Amino acid sequence: MLKFILNNLTLFQFFADFFDALTNYNFLQYSFFSLFFVSLLSSTIGTYTVINRQTYIAGAISHGVLGGIGLFNYIYKLTSYEIFNPFNGGLLFTIIYSIIIERLINKKNERVDSILSIIWSLGMAVGIFFIFLTPGYNQEIQKYLFGNILLLDKNSFYLLIFITLFIIIFFALFFNILFIFGFDEELLKIKKIKVSLLRFLVILSISLTVFLLIQIVGILLIIALFTLPAMIALNLNKNLKNVIIISFIVNIFASYISLFFSYNLNLPFTPIFIIFMSILYFISLLFKN
């Protein structure tokens, strides 16, 4: 009985220390509040990509942007011009990839999976090439490869809020159209809806979400963040709106639990989050309808 009480007192002290730090450290506050918006993005875009089997787009973008990150990091180290910081390089390549993917899908001249494979491998190759050429220790690159939510700065936090609000409003206004778009583009063409513009906005939304979330979980594990919450929700419910809501609840629950243990145990957030989310997925299989 005494051991049980002491264990609970220790756990209570962990919570007290965590919330005390939350009120005193700006970096922890950015991490804590950003997880709310990350969960919104992941549950919305993640659910859409999983249902429409477009996770390969997310994978190609996430690995392809390493080319822009590595290239701009190399130029930045040589010139010290702030415009060439790795973040801007990744953002620029994200937009370029979105345009390329939409154009190729629209023309239907190439196999989409082949193009995505090229973007995936070429971007990684270019990124690794310039990382190798860059002198010194590339600590900034490590953040994008493995992610670290505790390193999220104020500018990235505000950008995350802006992009989240844009995507949530976009999906809320055109929910039914986007639902139809994932299954029957011809029906939308009959209704005189500009499918090419809609496709570009969807791909751009996926791409921007991927790039922003890379800073949280890193390039190597971004697919898990995109797919696991949606797959857990799909095991529990098949209604699209309910899946998004359940995915958000799972996301935010796992995020805050992982942040708590990450801070108190001095361990990286990303692997704790992915491991915990994977456990929840296997548990959800027991309740699969």
Side-chain angles (χ1 to χ4, degrees), residues 94-95 98 166 199-209:
T94 297
I95 296 172
S98 299
F166 166 77
R199 184 187 296 111
F200 173 71
L201 290 174
V202 169
I203 294 174
L204 182 63
S205 298
I206 295 173
S207 303
L208 289 175
T209 300

Side-chain angles (χ1 to χ4, degrees), residues 9 13 70 154 201 283:
L9 286 175
Q13 186 61 46
K154 181 169 66 174
L201 290 174
I283 293 174

Side-chain angles (χ1 to χ4, degrees), residues 228 231-233 235-236 249-251 253-255 257 273-287:
L228 280 172
M231 291 171 66
I232 292 170
N235 283 339
L236 303 177
I249 294 171
V250 170
N251 239 313
F253 171 72
S255 295
I257 292 293
F273 176 80
I274 300 302
I275 291 171
F276 185 56
M277 193 68 80
S278 299
I279 293 172
L280 292 179
Y281 171 72
F282 288 116
I283 293 174
S284 72
L285 289 176
L286 301 176
F287 302 94

Side-chain angles (χ1 to χ4, degrees), residues 126-140:
V126 171
I128 293 171
F129 177 77
F130 282 105
I131 291 171
F132 180 80
L133 292 178
T134 304
Y137 177 65
N138 295 304
Q139 184 178 3
E140 185 74 10

Side-chain angles (χ1 to χ4, degrees), residues 57-96:
I57 293 178
I61 295 293
S62 65
H63 290 75
V65 295
L66 184 63
I69 293 169
L71 173 61
F72 271 50
N73 185 59
Y74 173 73
I75 299 174
Y76 179 71
K77 288 291 180 70
L78 295 180
T79 64
S80 297
Y81 291 141
E82 187 60 32
I83 194 173
F84 290 110
N85 68 70
F87 181 88
N88 291 342
L91 184 60
L92 176 62
F93 270 54
T94 297
I95 296 172
I96 291 173

Side-chain angles (χ1 to χ4, degrees), residues 117-224:
S117 297
I118 293 172
I119 289 174
W120 188 313
S121 55
L122 180 61
M124 288 287 288
V126 171
I128 293 171
F129 177 77
F130 282 105
I131 291 171
F132 180 80
L133 292 178
T134 304
Y137 177 65
N138 295 304
Q139 184 178 3
E140 185 74 10
I141 300 297
Q142 300 296 320
K143 179 179 74 173
Y144 291 100
L145 284 174
F146 303 105
N148 191 342
I149 192 171
L150 297 178
L151 296 179
L152 197 71
D153 58 23
K154 181 169 66 174
N155 293 332
S156 299
F157 175 67
Y158 288 136
L159 181 62
L160 174 65
I161 294 175
F162 175 77
I163 296 298
T164 301
L165 292 177
F166 166 77
I167 290 176
I168 295 300
I169 292 172
F170 172 60
F171 269 76
L173 291 176
F174 302 102
F175 183 83
N176 291 331
I177 293 176
L178 290 170
F179 181 79
I180 296 171
F181 173 73
F183 298 97
D184 192 352
E185 291 186 17
E186 297 302 321
L187 178 61
L188 296 182
K189 291 178 181 178
I190 294 173
K191 292 179 176 291
K192 309 287 186 193
I193 294 174
K194 294 183 178 179
V195 173
S196 59
L197 176 61
L198 185 62
R199 184 187 296 111
F200 173 71
L201 290 174
V202 169
I203 294 174
L204 182 63
S205 298
I206 295 173
S207 303
L208 289 175
T209 300
V210 167
F211 178 65
L212 288 174
L213 297 189
I214 280 174
Q215 299 178 79
I216 310 299
V217 298
I219 290 173
L220 301 179
L221 292 173
I222 186 68
I223 297 299

